[in-house]
Coordinates of all heavy atoms in Angstrom, one line a residue:
T61 N -5.1 3.1 39.3 CA -4.8 4.1 40.3 C -5.7 5.3 40.2 O -5.8 6.2 41.1 CB -3.3 4.5 40.3 OG1 -3.1 5.2 39.0 CG2 -2.4 3.4 40.5
W62 N -6.4 5.4 39.1 CA -7.2 6.6 38.8 C -8.6 6.5 39.5 O -9.2 5.4 39.3 CB -7.5 6.8 37.3 CG -6.4 6.9 36.4 CD1 -5.1 6.8 36.6 CD2 -6.6 7.2 35.0 NE1 -4.4 7.0 35.5 CE2 -5.3 7.2 34.4 CE3 -7.7 7.4 34.1 CZ2 -5.0 7.5 33.1 CZ3 -7.4 7.6 32.8 CH2 -6.1 7.6 32.3
A63 N -9.1 7.5 40.1 CA -10.5 7.6 40.5 C -11.3 8.1 39.4 O -12.4 7.6 39.1 CB -10.6 8.5 41.7
E64 N -10.7 9.0 38.6 CA -11.3 9.6 37.4 C -10.3 10.3 36.6 O -9.2 10.7 37.1 CB -12.5 10.5 37.8 CG -12.2 11.6 38.7 CD -13.4 12.4 39.1 OE1 -14.3 12.6 38.3 OE2 -13.4 12.9 40.2
G65 N -10.6 10.6 35.3 CA -9.7 11.3 34.5 C -9.6 10.8 33.1 O -10.3 9.8 32.7
T66 N -8.6 11.4 32.4 CA -8.4 10.9 31.0 C -7.0 11.1 30.6 O -6.2 11.8 31.2 CB -9.2 11.8 30.0 OG1 -8.8 13.1 30.1 CG2 -10.7 11.6 30.2
C67 N -6.6 10.4 29.6 CA -5.3 10.5 28.9 C -5.7 10.7 27.4 O -5.9 9.7 26.7 CB -4.4 9.3 29.1 SG -2.8 9.5 28.4
E68 N -5.7 12.0 27.0 CA -6.2 12.3 25.6 C -5.1 12.5 24.6 O -4.1 13.3 24.9 CB -7.0 13.6 25.7 CG -8.3 13.4 26.5 CD -9.3 12.5 25.9 OE1 -9.3 12.2 24.7 OE2 -10.1 11.9 26.6
P69 N -5.1 11.9 23.5 CA -4.2 12.2 22.4 C -4.5 13.6 21.9 O -5.6 14.0 21.7 CB -4.6 11.1 21.3 CG -5.4 10.1 22.0 CD -6.1 10.8 23.1
E70 N -3.4 14.3 21.7 CA -3.5 15.7 21.1 C -3.0 15.7 19.7 O -3.4 16.6 18.9 CB -2.6 16.6 22.0 CG -3.1 16.8 23.4 CD -2.3 17.8 24.2 OE1 -1.1 17.8 24.1 OE2 -3.0 18.6 24.9
K71 N -2.0 14.8 19.3 CA -1.4 14.9 18.0 C -0.8 13.5 17.7 O -0.2 12.9 18.6 CB -0.4 16.0 18.0 CG 0.2 16.3 16.6 CD 1.1 17.5 16.7 CE 1.5 18.0 15.3 NZ 2.3 19.3 15.4
F72 N -0.9 13.1 16.4 CA -0.2 11.9 16.0 C 0.8 12.3 14.9 O 0.5 13.0 14.0 CB -1.3 11.0 15.3 CG -2.3 10.5 16.3 CD1 -3.5 11.2 16.5 CD2 -2.1 9.3 17.0 CE1 -4.4 10.8 17.4 CE2 -3.1 8.9 17.9 CZ -4.2 9.6 18.1
L73 N 2.0 11.8 15.0 CA 3.1 12.0 14.1 C 3.6 10.7 13.6 O 4.0 9.8 14.5 CB 4.2 12.9 14.7 CG 3.7 14.2 15.2 CD1 3.8 14.3 16.7 CD2 4.5 15.3 14.5
V74 N 3.7 10.5 12.3 CA 4.0 9.1 11.8 C 5.3 9.2 11.0 O 5.5 10.1 10.2 CB 2.9 8.6 10.9 CG1 3.2 7.2 10.3 CG2 1.6 8.6 11.7
N75 N 6.2 8.2 11.2 CA 7.4 8.1 10.3 C 7.5 6.6 10.1 O 8.0 5.8 11.0 CB 8.6 8.6 11.0 CG 9.8 8.5 10.1 OD1 9.7 8.4 8.9 ND2 11.0 8.6 10.7
G76 N 7.1 6.1 8.9 CA 7.2 4.7 8.6 C 6.3 3.9 9.5 O 5.1 4.1 9.7
D77 N 7.0 2.9 10.2 CA 6.2 2.0 11.1 C 6.1 2.6 12.6 O 5.6 1.9 13.4 CB 6.9 0.6 11.2 CG 8.3 0.6 11.7 OD1 8.9 1.7 11.9 OD2 8.8 -0.5 11.8
K78 N 6.7 3.8 12.8 CA 6.7 4.4 14.1 C 5.6 5.5 14.2 O 5.5 6.3 13.2 CB 8.0 5.0 14.5 CG 9.1 3.9 14.7 CD 10.4 4.5 15.1 CE 11.4 3.4 15.3 NZ 12.7 4.0 15.7
V79 N 4.9 5.6 15.3 CA 3.9 6.7 15.5 C 4.2 7.3 16.9 O 4.3 6.5 17.9 CB 2.5 6.1 15.5 CG1 1.5 7.2 15.7 CG2 2.2 5.4 14.2
V80 N 4.3 8.6 16.9 CA 4.4 9.3 18.2 C 3.1 10.0 18.5 O 2.5 10.6 17.6 CB 5.6 10.4 18.1 CG1 5.5 11.3 19.4 CG2 6.9 9.7 18.0
V81 N 2.6 9.8 19.7 CA 1.4 10.4 20.1 C 1.6 11.4 21.2 O 2.2 11.0 22.3 CB 0.4 9.3 20.6 CG1 -1.0 10.0 21.0 CG2 0.2 8.2 19.6
Y82 N 1.3 12.6 21.0 CA 1.4 13.7 22.0 C 0.1 13.5 22.9 O -1.0 13.4 22.4 CB 1.3 15.1 21.5 CG 2.6 15.5 20.8 CD1 3.7 14.7 20.7 CD2 2.7 16.8 20.3 CE1 4.9 15.1 20.1 CE2 3.9 17.2 19.7 CZ 5.0 16.4 19.6 OH 6.1 16.9 19.0
L83 N 0.3 13.4 24.2 CA -0.8 13.1 25.2 C -0.9 14.2 26.2 O 0.1 14.8 26.6 CB -0.5 11.7 25.8 CG -0.5 10.5 24.9 CD1 0.2 9.4 25.5 CD2 -1.9 10.2 24.5
H84 N -2.1 14.3 26.7 CA -2.4 15.2 27.9 C -3.1 14.3 28.9 O -4.3 13.9 28.6 CB -3.2 16.4 27.5 CG -3.5 17.3 28.7 ND1 -4.7 17.8 28.9 CD2 -2.7 17.7 29.7 CE1 -4.7 18.5 30.0 NE2 -3.5 18.5 30.5
A85 N -2.5 14.1 30.0 CA -3.2 13.3 31.1 C -3.7 14.3 32.1 O -3.0 15.2 32.5 CB -2.2 12.3 31.7
W86 N -4.9 14.1 32.6 CA -5.5 14.9 33.7 C -6.3 13.9 34.5 O -7.4 13.5 34.1 CB -6.3 16.0 33.1 CG -6.8 17.0 34.1 CD1 -8.1 17.2 34.5 CD2 -6.0 17.9 34.9 NE1 -8.1 18.2 35.4 CE2 -6.9 18.6 35.7 CE3 -4.6 18.1 35.0 CZ2 -6.4 19.6 36.6 CZ3 -4.2 19.1 35.8 CH2 -5.1 19.8 36.7
V87 N -5.8 13.5 35.7 CA -6.4 12.5 36.5 C -6.5 12.9 38.0 O -5.7 13.7 38.4 CB -5.7 11.1 36.4 CG1 -5.7 10.7 34.9 CG2 -4.3 11.2 36.9
R88 N -7.4 12.3 38.6 CA -7.5 12.3 40.1 C -7.3 10.9 40.6 O -8.0 10.0 40.2 CB -8.9 12.9 40.6 CG -8.9 13.0 42.1 CD -10.2 13.6 42.6 NE -11.3 12.7 42.3 CZ -11.7 11.6 43.0 NH1 -11.0 11.3 44.0 NH2 -12.7 10.9 42.6
L89 N -6.3 10.7 41.4 CA -5.9 9.4 41.8 C -6.9 9.0 43.0 O -7.5 9.8 43.6 CB -4.5 9.3 42.3 CG -3.4 9.6 41.3 CD1 -2.0 9.6 41.9 CD2 -3.5 8.7 40.1
K90 N -7.0 7.7 43.2 CA -7.9 7.2 44.3 C -7.3 7.7 45.6 O -6.1 7.9 45.7 CB -7.9 5.7 44.3 CG -8.6 5.1 43.1 CD -8.6 3.6 43.1 CE -9.4 3.0 41.9 NZ -9.3 1.6 41.8
D91 N -8.2 8.0 46.5 CA -7.9 8.5 47.8 C -7.2 9.9 47.8 O -6.4 10.2 48.6 CB -6.9 7.5 48.6 CG -7.6 6.2 48.8 OD1 -8.8 6.1 49.0 OD2 -6.8 5.1 48.7
S92 N -7.5 10.6 46.7 CA -7.0 12.0 46.6 C -8.1 12.9 46.1 O -9.0 12.5 45.4 CB -5.9 12.0 45.6 OG -5.4 13.4 45.4
T93 N -8.1 14.2 46.6 CA -9.0 15.2 46.1 C -8.3 16.1 45.0 O -9.0 16.9 44.4 CB -9.5 16.0 47.2 OG1 -8.4 16.7 47.8 CG2 -10.3 15.2 48.2
E94 N -7.0 15.9 44.9 CA -6.3 16.8 44.0 C -6.2 16.2 42.6 O -6.0 15.0 42.4 CB -4.8 17.0 44.5 CG -4.7 17.6 45.8 CD -5.2 19.0 45.8 OE1 -4.9 19.8 44.9 OE2 -5.9 19.4 46.8
W95 N -6.3 17.0 41.6 CA -6.2 16.6 40.2 C -4.7 16.9 39.8 O -4.1 17.8 40.3 CB -7.1 17.4 39.3 CG -8.5 16.9 39.3 CD1 -9.4 17.3 40.3 CD2 -9.1 16.0 38.4 NE1 -10.6 16.6 40.0 CE2 -10.5 15.8 38.9 CE3 -8.7 15.3 37.3 CZ2 -11.4 15.0 38.3 CZ3 -9.6 14.5 36.7 CH2 -10.9 14.3 37.1
M96 N -4.2 16.0 39.0 CA -2.8 16.2 38.5 C -2.7 15.8 37.0 O -3.6 15.1 36.5 CB -1.9 15.3 39.3 CG -2.2 13.8 39.3 SD -1.2 12.8 40.4 CE 0.2 12.5 39.4
G97 N -1.7 16.2 36.4 CA -1.6 15.9 35.0 C -0.4 16.5 34.3 O 0.4 17.2 35.0
G98 N -0.3 16.2 33.1 CA 0.8 16.8 32.3 C 0.8 16.4 30.9 O -0.1 15.5 30.5
R99 N 1.7 16.9 30.1 CA 1.9 16.5 28.7 C 3.1 15.7 28.5 O 4.2 16.1 29.1 CB 1.8 17.8 27.9 CG 0.5 18.4 27.8 CD 0.4 19.7 27.0 NE -1.0 19.9 26.6 CZ -1.9 20.5 27.3 NH1 -1.5 21.0 28.5 NH2 -3.1 20.8 26.9
F100 N 3.0 14.7 27.7 CA 4.2 13.8 27.4 C 3.9 13.1 26.1 O 3.0 13.5 25.4 CB 4.4 12.8 28.6 CG 3.2 11.9 28.8 CD1 3.1 10.6 28.3 CD2 2.1 12.4 29.6 CE1 2.0 9.8 28.5 CE2 1.0 11.6 29.8 CZ 0.9 10.3 29.3
A101 N 4.7 12.1 25.8 CA 4.5 11.4 24.5 C 4.6 9.9 24.7 O 5.4 9.5 25.5 CB 5.4 11.9 23.4
D102 N 3.9 9.2 23.9 CA 4.1 7.7 23.8 C 4.6 7.4 22.3 O 4.2 8.1 21.4 CB 2.8 6.9 24.0 CG 2.5 6.8 25.5 OD1 3.4 7.0 26.4 OD2 1.4 6.4 25.8
G103 N 5.4 6.4 22.2 CA 5.9 6.0 20.9 C 5.4 4.6 20.7 O 5.4 3.7 21.6
F104 N 5.0 4.3 19.4 CA 4.5 3.0 19.1 C 5.2 2.5 17.8 O 5.5 3.3 16.9 CB 3.0 3.0 18.8 CG 2.2 3.3 20.1 CD1 2.0 4.6 20.4 CD2 1.8 2.3 20.9 CE1 1.2 5.0 21.5 CE2 1.0 2.7 22.0 CZ 0.8 4.0 22.3
V105 N 5.5 1.2 17.7 CA 6.0 0.6 16.5 C 5.0 -0.4 16.1 O 4.6 -1.2 16.9 CB 7.4 -0.1 16.7 CG1 7.9 -0.7 15.4 CG2 8.4 0.9 17.2
F106 N 4.6 -0.4 14.8 CA 3.6 -1.3 14.3 C 4.3 -2.3 13.3 O 5.3 -1.9 12.6 CB 2.6 -0.6 13.4 CG 1.5 0.1 14.3 CD1 1.8 1.3 14.9 CD2 0.3 -0.5 14.5 CE1 0.8 1.9 15.7 CE2 -0.7 0.1 15.3 CZ -0.4 1.3 15.9
R107 N 3.8 -3.5 13.3 CA 4.3 -4.5 12.4 C 3.1 -5.3 12.0 O 2.3 -5.8 12.8 CB 5.3 -5.5 13.0 CG 5.8 -6.5 12.1 CD 6.9 -7.4 12.6 NE 6.5 -8.1 13.8 CZ 7.3 -8.6 14.7 NH1 8.6 -8.4 14.7 NH2 6.7 -9.3 15.7
N108 N 2.8 -5.4 10.7 CA 1.6 -6.1 10.1 C 0.3 -5.6 10.8 O -0.5 -6.4 11.1 CB 1.8 -7.6 10.3 CG 3.0 -8.1 9.5 OD1 3.3 -7.6 8.4 ND2 3.7 -9.1 10.1
G109 N 0.2 -4.3 11.0 CA -1.0 -3.7 11.6 C -1.1 -3.9 13.1 O -2.2 -3.5 13.6
K110 N -0.1 -4.4 13.8 CA -0.2 -4.6 15.2 C 0.9 -3.9 15.9 O 2.0 -3.7 15.4 CB -0.1 -6.1 15.6 CG -1.2 -7.0 15.0 CD -2.5 -6.8 15.7 CE -3.6 -7.7 15.2 NZ -4.8 -7.5 15.8
I111 N 0.6 -3.5 17.2 CA 1.6 -2.8 18.0 C 2.6 -3.8 18.5 O 2.3 -4.7 19.3 CB 0.9 -2.0 19.2 CG1 -0.1 -1.0 18.7 CG2 2.0 -1.4 20.1 CD1 -1.1 -0.5 19.7
I112 N 3.9 -3.6 18.2 CA 4.9 -4.4 18.6 C 5.8 -3.8 19.7 O 6.4 -4.5 20.5 CB 5.8 -4.9 17.4 CG1 6.8 -6.0 17.8 CG2 6.5 -3.7 16.7 CD1 6.2 -7.3 18.1
E113 N 5.8 -2.5 19.7 CA 6.5 -1.7 20.8 C 5.7 -0.6 21.2 O 5.0 0.1 20.4 CB 7.9 -1.2 20.3 CG 8.9 -2.2 20.1 CD 10.3 -1.6 19.6 OE1 10.6 -0.5 20.1 OE2 10.9 -2.2 18.7
Y114 N 5.8 -0.3 22.6 CA 5.0 0.8 23.2 C 5.9 1.4 24.2 O 6.2 0.8 25.2 CB 3.7 0.2 23.7 CG 2.9 1.0 24.7 CD1 2.9 2.4 24.8 CD2 2.0 0.3 25.5 CE1 2.1 3.1 25.6 CE2 1.2 1.0 26.4 CZ 1.2 2.4 26.5 OH 0.4 3.1 27.3
L115 N 6.3 2.6 24.0 CA 7.3 3.3 24.9 C 6.7 4.7 25.4 O 5.9 5.3 24.6 CB 8.6 3.6 24.2 CG 9.3 2.5 23.6 CD1 8.9 2.2 22.2 CD2 10.8 2.8 23.6
T116 N 7.1 5.1 26.5 CA 6.6 6.4 27.0 C 7.9 7.3 27.2 O 8.9 6.8 27.6 CB 5.9 6.3 28.4 OG1 4.7 5.5 28.2 CG2 5.5 7.6 29.0
F117 N 7.7 8.6 26.9 CA 8.7 9.6 27.0 C 8.3 10.7 27.8 O 7.2 11.3 27.5 CB 9.1 10.1 25.6 CG 9.6 9.0 24.6 CD1 8.7 8.2 23.9 CD2 11.0 8.7 24.6 CE1 9.2 7.2 23.0 CE2 11.5 7.7 23.7 CZ 10.6 7.0 22.9
W118 N 9.1 11.2 28.8 CA 8.8 12.4 29.5 C 8.7 13.6 28.6 O 7.8 14.4 28.7 CB 9.8 12.6 30.6 CG 9.7 11.8 31.8 CD1 10.5 10.9 32.3 CD2 8.6 11.9 32.8 NE1 10.1 10.4 33.5 CE2 8.9 11.0 33.8 CE3 7.5 12.7 33.0 CZ2 8.1 10.8 35.0 CZ3 6.7 12.5 34.1 CH2 7.0 11.6 35.1
E119 N 9.7 13.6 27.7 CA 9.9 14.8 26.8 C 9.4 14.4 25.4 O 9.9 13.5 24.9 CB 11.3 15.3 26.8 CG 11.9 15.7 28.2 CD 11.2 16.9 28.7 OE1 10.7 17.8 27.9 OE2 11.0 17.0 29.9
R120 N 8.6 15.2 24.9 CA 8.1 15.0 23.5 C 9.2 15.0 22.5 O 9.2 14.2 21.6 CB 7.0 16.0 23.2 CG 5.7 15.8 23.9 CD 4.7 16.8 23.7 NE 3.4 16.4 24.2 CZ 2.3 17.2 24.1 NH1 2.4 18.3 23.5 NH2 1.2 16.7 24.6
A121 N 10.2 15.9 22.7 CA 11.3 16.0 21.8 C 12.1 14.7 21.7 O 12.6 14.3 20.7 CB 12.3 17.1 22.2
E122 N 12.2 14.0 22.8 CA 12.9 12.6 22.9 C 12.1 11.6 22.1 O 12.7 10.8 21.4 CB 13.1 12.2 24.3 CG 14.1 12.9 25.1 CD 15.5 12.8 24.4 OE1 15.9 11.7 24.1 OE2 16.2 13.9 24.3
A123 N 10.8 11.7 22.1 CA 10.0 10.8 21.3 C 10.2 11.0 19.8 O 10.3 10.1 19.0 CB 8.5 10.9 21.7
L124 N 10.2 12.3 19.5 CA 10.5 12.6 18.0 C 11.8 12.1 17.6 O 12.0 11.6 16.5 CB 10.3 14.1 17.8 CG 9.0 14.7 18.1 CD1 9.0 16.2 18.0 CD2 7.9 14.1 17.3
K125 N 12.8 12.3 18.4 CA 14.2 11.8 18.1 C 14.2 10.3 17.9 O 14.8 9.8 16.9 CB 15.2 12.3 19.2 CG 16.6 11.9 18.9 CD 17.5 12.4 20.1 CE 18.9 11.9 19.9 NZ 19.8 12.3 21.0

Side-chain angles (χ1 to χ4, degrees):
T61 64
W62 302 6
E64 57 186 323
T66 61
C67 184
E68 294 293 336
E70 295 181 318
K71 188 173 190 176
F72 297 88
L73 300 113
V74 180
N75 184 21
D77 62 353
K78 293 182 178 180
V79 180
V80 171
V81 183
Y82 286 2
L83 297 161
H84 179 228
W86 188 246
V87 301
R88 185 179 62 80
L89 299 178
K90 291 180 178 174
D91 302 322
S92 177
T93 58
E94 301 293 319
W95 283 82
M96 58 187 275
R99 287 181 161 81
F100 59 99
D102 279 347
F104 297 87
V105 178
F106 281 81
R107 181 174 63 202
N108 299 323
K110 298 289 185 181
I111 301 167
I112 188 71
E113 289 182 38
Y114 167 23
L115 302 90
T116 296
F117 298 88
W118 280 113
E119 300 295 329
R120 290 174 168 183
E122 288 298 313
L124 297 177
K125 182 178 176 183

